[in-house]
Amino acid sequence: MNLTLHVWRQPSAAVAGHMVQYDAPDVSGDMSFLEMLDVVNERLIGKGEDPIAFDHDCREGICGMCGVMVNGIAHGPQRATTACQLHMRHFKDGDTLYIEPWRAEPFPVIKDLIVDRGAFDRIIESGGFITAATGGPQDANSIPVAKKAADWAMDNAACIGCGACVAACPNGSAMLFTAAKVSHLGALPQGQPERTSRVLNMVAKMDELGFGSCTNIGECAAVCPKEISMDAIATLNRELIRASVRR
Ligand code: SF4
Ligand code: FES
């Protein structure tokens, strides 16, 4: 395939960015989206030009480091797929792709397609830790967890913190991400001692960092590569009401 790319180039947050056009010839359908960018970068380096900066680590869809807007869709057009697992066979010869970083005020651009998602770390930090007894570990079978609760916790623990939900949301809301963390720990026995303080602190931190509120648009769940559902946001709201009353 021969593709035309329009890529957001921005040297740093202090300098204005703009789109730059590149040709991407001889793209194989077996390449991942990031491998396609690797090849474009090799050509740029060969010509003595600055390669396109983009985030990545595992390239297996599990670390949450990658993420770009492809033609306005977070992680590109393939449902439940991270950018690193998106294969070029989902595009066709002659396509024009617009590649941009996550756009949200709490995620400032570091360079080109890389944004600072440290705000997510601040939300996690504010949730604190879980209280666990020290000493010899308790036999897992002696802590009964209902199947429904275990499944719900696992579904939400799948969140990789990629930030696509924030980038897709017109309100720049981090509700899906925060809801996944609150739902995951709130469903398990180990998460009970800090259940009230966790949700209050995480929601307060989310607001303080400038993330918007959820208005049930659903773009977050539509682009989430781990298919975290809007039910998590309903759980977050219920947990917040419960915690507010208890406080
Ligand atoms: S909820 Fe989904 S889109 Fe949001 S950070 Fe977690 S994995 Fe990424
Ligand atoms: S590079 Fe790890 S999820 Fe994409």
Side-chain angles (χ1 to χ4, degrees):
M1 284 178 283
N2 295 313
L3 306 175
T4 303
L5 310 183
H6 295 265
V7 183
W8 184 259
R9 303 301 311 260
Q10 185 171 355
S12 73
V15 183
H18 60 285
M19 299 298 264
V20 177
Q21 184 176 331
Y22 299 101
D23 290 331
D26 303 327
V27 173
S28 157
D30 293 332
M31 287 176 176
S32 72
F33 196 83
L34 301 191
E35 284 166 347
M36 181 274 294
L37 288 179
D38 287 339
V39 173
V40 170
N41 273 346
E42 278 173 12
R43 286 207 190 89
L44 290 178
I45 292 166
K47 289 193 283 183
E49 293 180 29
D50 192 26
I52 301 158
F54 61 91
D55 237 340
H56 61 104
D57 190 6
C58 70
R59 297 201 178 199
E60 293 178 353
I62 55 173
C63 76
M65 286 301 289
C66 67
V68 288
M69 303 296 283
V70 183
N71 290 347
I73 305 172
H75 286 298
Q78 194 66 10
R79 207 172 168 87
T81 306
T82 53
C84 61
Q85 289 286 292
L86 174 66
H87 284 86
M88 296 311 294
R89 65 182 75 99
H90 299 297
F91 300 93
K92 57 182 192 311
D93 186 38
D95 273 356
T96 298
L97 308 183
Y98 290 82
I99 308 168
E100 298 170 80
W102 291 163
R103 301 225 183 259
E105 204 173 307
F107 291 166
V109 170
I110 295 174
K111 187 177 179 187
D112 299 337
L113 304 174
I114 299 179
V115 299
D116 180 355
R117 283 167 293 175
F120 269 7
D121 297 331
R122 305 292 89 74
I123 295 175
I124 295 282
E125 273 169 14
S126 69
F129 42 81
I130 58 139
T131 299
T134 56
Q138 204 173 345
D139 189 298
N141 288 331
S142 68
I143 312 171
V145 182
K147 173 82 168 75
K148 214 173 151 190
D151 287 349
W152 179 240
M154 277 302 286
D155 286 350
N156 286 288
C159 167
I160 53 175
C162 63
C165 46
V166 175
C169 176
N171 305 328
S173 172
M175 288 279 275
L176 196 68
F177 165 78
T178 308
K181 306 304 171 196
V182 165
S183 299
H184 159 208
L185 291 170
L188 295 174
Q190 297 89 335
Q192 297 312 306
E194 288 82 17
R195 185 170 162 189
T196 299
S197 59
R198 181 184 308 115
V199 64
L200 292 171
N201 292 341
M202 288 179 94
V203 169
K205 182 57 74 176
M206 193 177 74
D207 291 343
E208 180 195 318
L209 290 165
F211 290 103
S213 297
C214 175
T215 49
N216 285 321
I217 291 171
E219 287 286 328
C220 54
V223 300
C224 175
K226 298 299 159 187
E227 298 190 296
I228 306 296
S229 80
M230 295 279 285
D231 291 350
I233 295 181
T235 301
L236 174 65
N237 286 331
R238 275 198 302 274
E239 288 288 316
L240 185 62
I241 292 167
R242 174 189 171 278
S244 303
V245 170
R246 284 189 170 230
R247 181 181 56 178

